[in-house]
Amino acid sequence: MQKETIILGGGCFWCTEAVFNMLRGVISVKPGYAGGTVKNPTYEQVCSGNTGHAEVIKIKYDAEVVPLETLLTIFFASHDPTTKDRQGNDVGTQYRSVIFCESSAQKDICEKFIKELNNSSEMGAPIVTTVEPLTDFYPAEDYHKNYYENNKNQSYCQVVINPKLKKVQQKFAELLK
């Protein structure tokens, strides 16, 4: 087993956590905050948009089962990486599309991946996802963990998360647990 981690921000961490929890090779997914200036921020502070943090997920995965490029494929397919500081009705820097890398090798893979995406379609909008070095990751409060699994009947889960999950299930069935 080759355990690695990557931190991804693609809007609301409830959505991204639910998507990546479905994948073979993913060992754990933890919602949290990264990229800001406040130590140990709370959800309310991050939601204010004043801390500089993004809602992110920390994915621990077995790179022998699911390589980073596969995770990136799903990441870019499951959110809008062409809209700055916005995912659907969630607006603000805390919902930005961002990848926090723990190594220069990871950074190189991510930057190459984005370049290839941008070069693959002259008609598409450019990717605005930033690739940044990881400084700190702060775990989110406990009630955010496994939010979708614990709240499937809530309207947000039904209206926002379910369509994302169905899209991933249809496009990437062979990668699901």
Side-chain angles (χ1 to χ4, degrees), residues 1-146:
M1 183 181 290
Q2 185 181 340
K3 290 183 185 176
E4 295 188 26
T5 59
I6 187 77
I7 297 178
L8 305 174
C12 170
F13 51 32
W14 297 341
C15 296
T16 51
E17 178 192 44
V19 165
F20 286 92
N21 269 332
M22 297 189 304
L23 303 179
R24 278 186 288 116
V26 170
I27 299 162
S28 66
V29 182
K30 295 183 178 161
Y33 316 108
T37 57
V38 174
K39 298 276 186 211
N40 299 306
T42 65
Y43 180 65
E44 290 75 21
Q45 288 174 313
V46 172
C47 284
S48 75
N50 296 324
T51 68
H53 291 90
E55 286 192 18
V56 297
I57 54 170
K58 183 176 189 175
I59 303 169
K60 184 185 292 184
Y61 64 100
D62 180 348
E64 293 173 0
V65 176
V66 60
L68 179 56
E69 292 85 351
T70 300
L71 294 176
L72 293 174
T73 298
I74 292 167
F75 173 65
F76 284 105
S78 63
H79 81 292
D80 180 358
T82 66
T83 304
K84 185 173 172 54
D85 300 337
R86 179 186 196 116
Q87 290 298 310
N89 290 331
D90 294 330
V91 179
T93 58
Q94 66 271 31
Y95 302 112
R96 67 188 179 272
S97 181
V98 60
I99 302 169
F100 290 99
C101 298
E102 295 184 328
S103 70
S104 59
Q106 242 182 18
K107 180 180 183 278
D108 291 344
I109 291 169
C110 294
E111 288 177 343
K112 179 182 177 199
F113 194 92
I114 291 170
K115 183 177 181 181
E116 289 173 1
L117 279 178
N118 279 327
N119 290 339
S120 69
S121 174
E122 293 178 19
M123 302 298 286
I127 304 290
V128 298
T129 305
T130 58
V131 178
E132 303 174 22
L134 177 64
T135 51
D136 292 308
F137 170 83
Y138 299 102
E141 295 81 355
D142 285 343
Y143 70 93
H144 294 294
K145 296 173 184 161
N146 294 307

